[in-house]
């Protein structure tokens, strides 16, 4: 297994981009500026998480139609993580077996797996600081409408 490929945008910024090595089959989707409808099978809480994840990706300028399924999975994982943390807070981390021994409750393993999955998905979506360092997104200039009108008038 070799190392991961570098995004072409990063190669351009670093000055190491070569046209002869360019991936001709690379899929680039149009960036979305709206929240696509969530699937019907998501719960109410999961739909809320889905909208939050999609809005975060839109703000970062990285949301494409190809990312919708990753956002859906992220919403489901966030819901599972919250559910497992609430259960641990309500019932504790340890249970007593029939023979009287203490053991870690299975919900702790569920929480750990959900947390690992969330970290992996958030890295994919650029939703943490180290992942955002790897992203190159066009910066959108915010124009003050009042200043623009004043400059046009003068």
């Amino acid at each position: 297994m070799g190392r991961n490929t570098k995004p072409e945008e990063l190669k351009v910024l670093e000055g190491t981009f070569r046209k002869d090595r360019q991936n001709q089959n690379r899929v680039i989707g149009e960036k979305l500026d709206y929240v696509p409808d969530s699937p019907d099978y998501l719960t109410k809480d999961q739909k809320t998480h889905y909208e939050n994840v999609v809005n975060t990706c839109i703000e970062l300028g990285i949301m494409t139609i190809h990312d919708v399924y990753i956002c859906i999975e992220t919403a489901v994982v966030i819901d599972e993580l919250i559910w497992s943390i609430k259960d641990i807070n309500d019932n504790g981390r340890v249970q007593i077996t029939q023979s009287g021994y203490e053991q870690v409750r299975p919900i702790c393993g569920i929480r750990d797996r959900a947390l690992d999955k969330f970290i992996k998905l958030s890295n994919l979506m650029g939703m943490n600081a180290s992942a955002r360092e790897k992203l190159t997104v066009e910066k959108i200039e915010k124009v003050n409408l009042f200043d623009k009108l004043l400059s046009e008038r003068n």
Side-chain angles (χ1 to χ4, degrees):
M1 200 166 116
R3 63 181 179 184
N4 292 336
T5 58
K6 232 183 232 188
E8 288 181 7
E9 293 85 358
L10 187 58
K11 290 179 183 179
V12 169
L13 285 174
E14 292 176 344
T16 59
F17 177 74
R18 288 181 42 184
K19 193 123 179 118
D20 60 323
R21 293 185 180 174
Q22 183 178 14
N23 182 359
Q24 301 298 326
N25 299 322
R26 183 174 174 213
V27 177
I28 302 173
E30 285 190 44
K31 292 182 181 170
L32 297 180
D33 57 354
Y34 63 94
V35 178
D37 292 336
S38 59
D40 294 335
Y41 59 84
L42 293 181
T43 65
K44 184 179 177 185
D45 289 339
Q46 290 171 345
K47 287 181 181 187
T48 303
H49 300 315
Y50 168 75
E51 289 176 10
N52 291 338
V53 169
V54 171
N55 282 325
T56 300
C57 292
I58 289 171
E59 286 177 21
L60 291 171
I62 59 171
M63 185 66 193
T64 67
I65 197 68
H66 307 295
D67 301 320
V68 171
Y69 294 107
I70 295 174
C71 291
I72 292 168
E73 183 64 22
T74 304
V76 171
V77 168
I78 290 171
D79 189 54
E80 187 175 306
L81 190 57
I82 290 171
W83 168 78
S84 61
I85 290 171
K86 283 181 181 177
D87 187 88
I88 290 169
N89 288 341
D90 293 342
N91 302 312
R93 298 176 192 277
V94 178
Q95 67 185 14
I96 308 295
T97 62
Q98 291 177 348
S99 56
Y101 292 104
E102 288 185 353
Q103 73 178 28
V104 177
R105 293 181 58 233
I107 193 70
C108 294
I110 293 170
R111 190 243 5 243
D112 291 344
R113 284 188 296 281
L115 183 59
D116 288 343
K117 203 172 191 182
F118 175 72
I119 290 169
K120 288 176 184 175
L121 289 168
S122 65
N123 282 333
L124 278 176
M125 300 301 292
M127 295 171 66
N128 62 40
S130 61
R132 280 192 299 274
E133 285 296 319
K134 300 173 190 171
L135 294 176
T136 55
V137 180
E138 290 180 31
K139 190 169 185 173
I140 300 170
E141 286 188 41
K142 292 185 179 181
V143 178
N144 186 337
L145 188 58
F146 183 73
D147 290 340
K148 184 178 176 184
L149 290 172
L150 279 178
S151 65
E152 289 175 1
R153 185 165 182 185
N154 293 335

